Amino acid sequence: MDTQLNGSAFVRHLGTVSGDGRAGYVALADRVRTLLSDGRLAVGTRVPSERELAAALGIGRGTVAAAYEQLRETGHLARRRGSGTWTALPTGPSAAVVPFAPTSGAGPSEITPGVIDLAHAAPAAPPDAMAAAGQEALAALPAHLVGPGYDLLGLPVLRAAIADRLSGQGLPTAPDEVMVTAGSQHAHALVVRALVRPGDRMLLEQPTYPNAIDLVRHASARPVPMALDRDGRGRPRWDVAAFAAILRESAPALAYLVPDHHNPTGGVMDAETRGAVVAAARRHGVPLVVDDCLRDLWLDDPVPPPVGAWATVPGEAPVLTLGSLSKTVWGGVRIGWLRGPRAVLRRVATSRASDDIASPVLEQLVAAALLRGIDDLLPARRTTMRERRDHLLGALGRALPDWSAPRPTGGLSLWVDLGAPRSSALVEAAARHGVHLAAGPRFGTGGAFEGFVRVPYTHPVDVIDDAVARLATAWETLDAGTPAMLSPVV
């Protein structure tokens, strides 16, 4: 990726770094390492020259030169012949990159008997709502049996239900602006297939949803990570100036954003930033892919209207909205959707037709029934998740007081700061104690986020307590510097 920071932009990341001499260059180098380790400074970013950064910070050039030299020695900066100095992370053993895919489980809270799955933030199904929706779908099915069963864009009844849902959220939508897909990840893959070519750049937040990173790799595209800043409470914040600069300098084929209960950090993009992001994308002609799968899972306050509501100028830089029922209802409902301009949907449909003729009729009828009753389902869902969120925060605070996590206002998980770059080691130790975790680096590019781990609160409180106790035991074995021993699974 080819992102470049000038002196003033770099200073915004660094914050206040004062003093010359040894204390100054050590503090500067430490600050850069911290920003790289937690992903606020993306790996593969060209940093300012020594002279430019010294002027921006108001310190001596020798201090910056000494800091850069130390960072090169530790592997956090690297020179590229003829193109300046770039951020990096030290090379060394790391956890293997594996697909971020769910594993078939033995029960609603386990991937295998006795093993607690904290790698996937997905709630169990609401059985009564699913049973009722299934009955409605079966009753409606005979009317559809007289046709061929193929509809590339989806059943009209479901597209109308999705359009009504989006319109009610503040994004006016007509049924012919909706395509039904096999989940939101399928919709995202279809967009990439239609709009991205090998070698193109794709902008991603840093951190972000792991399958979005894998999709870039599968498309033979190049990821352009946009680091999220953090406010005083540790919650993520989108830097519009940095976003616009990356669009201008990298000219990505598209940008992927998760503005509502961001996965994995839980952040919510405010209304002003949404408008500014859409305006920046329009200026630079970059389509936005907005993942809205978690927007209905607000726990404290409703979120602003969808980002697409600010896309009031037709033509260039469309805003494409992804949605599904996987997070709000159940991951087994493999129905999602893509909302966008009609011209873009036609292009996506043309690309899709070669190997995916249509979504299953019965599943679409189930999804339509679920959407009709979703406002009756969500209040109880939110109450349950709110209780589990607060319970997990309390349990972690008691058992692992050195860990910290901002209290998310919605979504399904916590983004936990471990206080040390030991995420991959923790994942290995936790596995030996019967807990399945995803390491922090799975949520970023370039090996960042070794100091973080995502912990979902989708399990019942007794399972949460068990999981936290096992995590504390695994963490203690790391602190003791001894190998984690296999605990009996009961």
Side-chain angles (χ1 to χ4, degrees), residues 85-105:
T85 301
W86 301 72
T87 57
L89 282 176
T91 57
S94 60
V97 175
V98 296
F100 193 74
T103 305
S104 178

Side-chain angles (χ1 to χ4, degrees), residues 99-120:
F100 193 74
T103 305
S104 178
S109 65
E110 299 174 339
I111 54 170
T112 54
V115 176
I116 302 172
D117 180 11
L118 296 183
H120 306 103

Side-chain angles (χ1 to χ4, degrees), residues 162-254:
I162 294 167
D164 287 346
R165 184 76 185 164
L166 294 174
S167 297
Q169 293 172 343
L171 177 56
T173 302
D176 62 353
E177 293 176 309
V178 175
M179 171 187 284
V180 177
T181 62
S184 63
Q185 181 67 7
H186 180 220
H188 190 187
L190 290 173
V191 170
V192 170
R193 178 174 175 178
L195 303 184
V196 178
R197 297 292 175 264
D200 282 351
R201 298 179 178 91
M202 292 172 59
L203 184 148
L204 302 169
E205 294 151 326
Q206 179 89 328
T208 191
Y209 177 46
N211 281 341
I213 300 172
D214 293 340
L215 186 55
V216 176
R217 185 179 301 114
H218 295 157
S220 299
R222 291 182 285 172
V224 180
M226 178 188 71
L228 296 182
D229 202 356
R230 285 188 281 177
D231 64 19
R233 293 181 292 177
R235 293 176 177 173
R237 180 173 54 197
W238 286 260
D239 185 334
V240 176
F243 176 70
I246 292 175
L247 296 184
R248 181 179 64 252
E249 295 164 7
S250 298
L254 58 81

Side-chain angles (χ1 to χ4, degrees), residues 100 121 205-211 228 238 256-267 291 294 327 411-413 415 443 454:
F100 193 74
E205 294 151 326
Q206 179 89 328
T208 191
Y209 177 46
N211 281 341
L228 296 182
W238 286 260
Y256 171 80
L257 304 176
V258 188
D260 294 316
H261 314 307
H262 175 264
N263 186 3
T265 67
D291 191 333
L294 290 164
K327 302 299 185 182
L412 296 170
S413 59
W415 185 234
F443 298 85
R454 190 189 70 172

